[in-house]
Amino acid sequence: MKKNKKAFNKGSLITLLIIAAVLVLTVVLENTINANSLLFTVIRKSAVYSLVAVSMNLLNGFTGLFSLGQAGFMLLGAYTYAILTIPSDTRESIYYLFQGSSFNFSFVDLFSSVFGQQGAGKTVSLISGVLLAIICAGIVAAVFAYLIGLPVLRLKSDYLAIATLGFAEILRAIFQWDKLGKVTNGANALRGYPTFADFNITNANGQIVFRLASFVPLLIAGICIFIIVLLINSSYGRAFKAVRDDEISAEAMGISLAKHKSLSFCISSFFAGVGGALFAMFASTVQAKTFTSAMTYEILLIVVIGGIGSVSGSCIASFLYIACSEWWLRFLDNTQYIGGKQVPLLRNGFRMVVFSVIIMIVVLFFRKGIMGDKELPDLFNRLLNRKKKVTVKEGTENE
C-alpha cells in the first residue's frame, strides 16, 4: 500500500512539474517571440476549451449523463461576464439601439471606487472585478442547470441529449430577442469589457512591458480543472462513478440518484459557465449566434478524442484539436504553385477536409481515445515501475 502511494505521489509530482513548466514556458515565449503568433491564439483557446471539455467529461464520462447543452451554459456565462464588466461610461454607446442598458454598474468600476484607478489600485480592481464576474458567470449557469435539471434529468441517454441540446438552442434564440435588448443587446454584440490583453503589464506611457495574456487563461483553467480533479477523487466523485457504472447498485448502496445527478449537472454547468466567461475574454465580443450546437459538437469531439473518463486526455486533445484546426494545417488553405503550375486541391477550405480525415483516422485507431480512461500520473507510474523492474532484473542477472 505504501509503495503504491509512493508511486502515485511520484507520478503526480512529475505531472505538476510539467504543468508548472508549461506555465513558465508560456510566459517566457510570449515575452520573447512575436506576441501576434498563432501559437498564443491556440494556447488561449485551448485553455478555454480544455476547461469546458473537462466539465463535459465530468458529466458524460464520470457520471454517465449524456448532455449536449454545454454551448448554452457557455452562452449564459459569457453574457453574464460581459454584462457585469462593461464599463458604465461605455454602456450607452454599446446599447445605443435600445437607449441604454438595464444594468448601469460594473464590478470593475465598483472595485475602482474602493481601490482607486491608478497604479496598483487599478490592477487590484481589474483582478477583483474580473474574478467576481467569472464566479457569477458560473453561478448563473449552475442556477439555470438546477432549474432545467428538475424535469430533464428524469430522462436518460439520447433523450437527455436531445432535451439539453434543445435547451441550448432555445436559449440562443431568447438571447437574440429584442424584448431583452436592454440586457443582452439583442442580436448585437457586447464588447468593451476586460479581456486577456488587459492583464498585460504596461508602463506610464501605456506601452506593454510584460505580457500575461496567455498565462492568465492557462492559470484560471488550470485552477478550475484542479478543483474538478479533487472532486472526482472525493467521495462525491466515487458516487458519480457508481451512478455511471450501475444505477441500481448505486441506489442499493444508499446513493441518491436524483441528488447526485443534479449535483453533477450543476457542477458541470458551473465550470461550463466559467469557460463561457473565458471564451468571452478570448473572443473580445459576445454574440449569441456564436454559441451554436456546432460548438457543443466540437467539445464532445475533444472529449471523445482525449478519452471519455480522462481529464488529462481532454486537456491534451483540446490543444491538438485547436492547433490542427487553427494553426498546423492552415497552409492547406493557401494556393501553392510548383513550376508555374497550381498544386491541385490546395485552396480555401481544403484544410477542414484534411482535418476531418485526421479525426476519422484517430477515432478508428484509438477507439477509447488518446488516453482511454487513464491519467498522466498513471502513465508516469507505469514508466517508473517498469524502469524499476528492469533495474531489479538486471541486478539479479548480474548476481
Side-chain angles (χ1 to χ4, degrees), residues 31-80:
N31 287 279
T32 53
I33 66 176
N34 184 10
N36 296 321
S37 171
L38 278 173
L39 169 64
F40 302 115
T41 301
V42 169
I43 289 174
R44 293 165 199 165
K45 192 172 182 179
S46 298
V48 176
Y49 269 52
S50 63
L51 174 57
V52 182
V54 171
S55 72
M56 175 179 269
N57 214 343
L58 173 65
L59 194 63
N60 291 14
F62 291 96
T63 315
L65 299 176
F66 188 30
S67 170
L68 293 176
Q70 297 303 100
F73 297 117
M74 287 180 69
L75 182 150
L76 286 169
Y79 268 89
T80 301

Side-chain angles (χ1 to χ4, degrees), residues 337-386:
Y337 292 90
I338 297 178
K341 294 184 179 181
Q342 181 180 341
V343 178
L345 299 178
L346 291 184
R347 63 191 67 183
N348 189 31
F350 186 63
R351 167 171 57 100
M352 297 311 296
V353 175
V354 175
F355 182 57
S356 301
V357 173
I358 292 173
I359 290 174
M360 290 174 62
I361 293 172
V362 171
V363 172
L364 286 173
F365 288 94
F366 294 89
R367 296 293 179 90
K368 293 185 178 181
I370 297 172
M371 296 290 291
D373 59 352
K374 305 297 182 184
E375 303 291 351
L376 281 178
D378 299 331
L379 297 181
F380 290 131
N381 289 335
R382 283 187 177 183
L383 291 174
L384 290 171
N385 292 333
R386 184 177 298 176

Side-chain angles (χ1 to χ4, degrees), residues 4-27:
N4 290 336
K5 186 176 181 181
K6 187 177 181 181
F8 171 80
N9 289 336
K10 283 185 178 180
S12 300
L13 180 61
I14 293 173
T15 304
L16 290 174
L17 289 174
I18 291 175
I19 294 171
V22 169
L23 290 172
V24 173
L25 183 62
T26 299
V27 175

Side-chain angles (χ1 to χ4, degrees), residues 11-274:
S12 300
L13 180 61
I14 293 173
T15 304
L16 290 174
L17 289 174
I18 291 175
I19 294 171
V22 169
L23 290 172
V24 173
L25 183 62
T26 299
V27 175
V28 173
L29 289 176
E30 192 171 19
N31 287 279
T32 53
I33 66 176
N34 184 10
N36 296 321
S37 171
L38 278 173
L39 169 64
F40 302 115
T41 301
V42 169
I43 289 174
R44 293 165 199 165
K45 192 172 182 179
S46 298
V48 176
Y49 269 52
S50 63
L51 174 57
V52 182
V54 171
S55 72
M56 175 179 269
N57 214 343
L58 173 65
L59 194 63
N60 291 14
F62 291 96
T63 315
L65 299 176
F66 188 30
S67 170
L68 293 176
Q70 297 303 100
F73 297 117
M74 287 180 69
L75 182 150
L76 286 169
Y79 268 89
T80 301
Y81 171 80
I83 291 169
L84 294 177
T85 55
I86 293 175
S88 302
D89 55 355
T90 62
R91 286 180 181 269
E92 188 174 347
S93 62
I94 295 173
Y95 288 86
Y96 68 95
L97 290 176
F98 302 96
Q99 289 78 47
S101 169
S102 297
F103 291 88
N104 295 316
F105 72 95
S106 166
F107 280 158
V108 178
D109 293 343
L110 182 64
F111 283 105
S112 294
S113 63
V114 177
F115 298 108
Q117 299 180 357
Q118 300 295 329
K122 181 180 179 181
T123 303
V124 173
S125 300
L126 174 66
I127 294 173
S128 303
V130 167
L131 287 179
L132 184 57
I134 288 175
I135 292 171
C136 288
I139 291 173
V140 169
V143 169
F144 270 81
Y146 175 77
L147 296 175
I148 294 164
L150 292 176
V152 166
L153 290 179
R154 299 175 184 271
L155 304 173
K156 294 182 180 181
S157 187
D158 299 341
Y159 299 102
L160 175 61
I162 293 170
T164 51
L165 180 63
F167 151 74
E169 291 299 308
I170 292 170
L171 200 62
R172 184 162 61 91
I174 290 175
F175 268 67
Q176 297 181 84
W177 189 25
D178 285 345
K179 294 292 184 180
L180 295 176
K182 285 187 172 293
V183 178
T184 64
N185 204 24
N188 306 296
L190 294 177
R191 61 186 183 279
Y193 50 81
T195 63
F196 295 137
D198 291 306
F199 287 89
N200 291 328
I201 299 174
T202 58
N203 57 21
N205 297 324
Q207 296 177 333
I208 298 174
V209 296
F210 197 75
R211 298 181 184 276
L212 293 171
S214 298
F215 172 78
V216 170
L218 278 177
L219 181 63
I220 296 175
I223 292 172
C224 292
I225 292 171
F226 178 70
I227 294 172
I228 294 174
V229 171
L230 291 179
L231 174 68
I232 291 170
N233 293 325
S234 69
S235 58
Y236 285 101
R238 289 191 289 272
F240 294 157
K241 294 174 186 176
V243 172
R244 174 197 64 188
D245 295 336
D246 194 326
E247 291 188 3
I248 297 175
S249 299
E251 195 168 22
M253 290 188 294
I255 297 173
S256 173
L257 297 182
K259 174 187 172 183
H260 285 85
K261 284 183 178 181
S262 178
L263 185 62
S264 177
F265 192 52
C266 291
I267 293 173
S268 173
S269 301
F270 174 87
F271 287 107
V274 172

